[in-house]
Amino acid sequence: MFKITIYKLFFIFIILQSSMLAQFGQNKVQYKDFTWYYIQTDHFDIYFSMKGSALAEFTAKAAEDALVLIQHSFNYKINNRIVIIIYNSTNDFQETNVTD
């Protein structure tokens, strides 16, 4: 009888855990449409939405400066362009489905 109770508890635990996990990680809801623009530097493609051009320009300069420092410090060269996506706010980030 004790083994039956353990099996029942284990079964209930598995069912509850799987139902809780099923609620998270579902498709993100997109509340508004974004119009994406981009700028290119020597090594980066930086995507931004409306009113984000100043932040994208800052990101472009900071990314290129950081890459030069990394290349000199670690003797490392990149082979492909790097994509950076800039959001104007946390809410904008939460509302998009650019990545999984």
Side-chain angles (χ1 to χ4, degrees):
M1 184 169 168
F2 183 71
K3 290 181 181 179
I4 295 173
T5 307
I6 290 175
Y7 291 130
K8 286 181 181 178
L9 288 174
F10 180 73
F11 181 74
I12 292 170
F13 174 76
I14 295 297
I15 296 297
L16 288 175
Q17 188 171 3
S18 64
S19 67
M20 288 175 63
L21 289 175
Q23 295 175 3
F24 299 106
Q26 296 295 319
N27 294 335
K28 292 181 179 180
V29 176
Q30 194 167 8
Y31 295 104
K32 60 183 173 182
D33 291 328
F34 289 90
T35 303
W36 292 101
Y37 307 96
Y38 71 97
I39 57 175
Q40 290 184 318
T41 65
D42 292 338
H43 302 100
F44 297 95
D45 294 332
I46 302 169
Y47 290 85
F48 60 96
S49 60
M50 188 176 291
K51 298 181 183 177
S53 60
L55 185 57
E57 291 290 337
F58 170 78
T59 303
K61 181 168 177 13
E64 286 293 338
D65 292 346
L67 182 62
V68 168
L69 181 64
I70 290 170
Q71 287 177 338
H72 289 303
S73 297
F74 297 105
N75 194 20
Y76 178 77
K77 300 286 183 200
I78 62 170
N79 296 326
N80 299 320
R81 299 185 65 75
I82 299 172
V83 175
I84 300 175
I85 303 169
I86 303 295
Y87 294 96
N88 294 333
S89 68
T90 304
N91 290 338
D92 287 349
F93 172 71
Q94 291 174 344
E95 291 177 11
T96 65
N97 58 0
V98 172
T99 61
D100 289 338

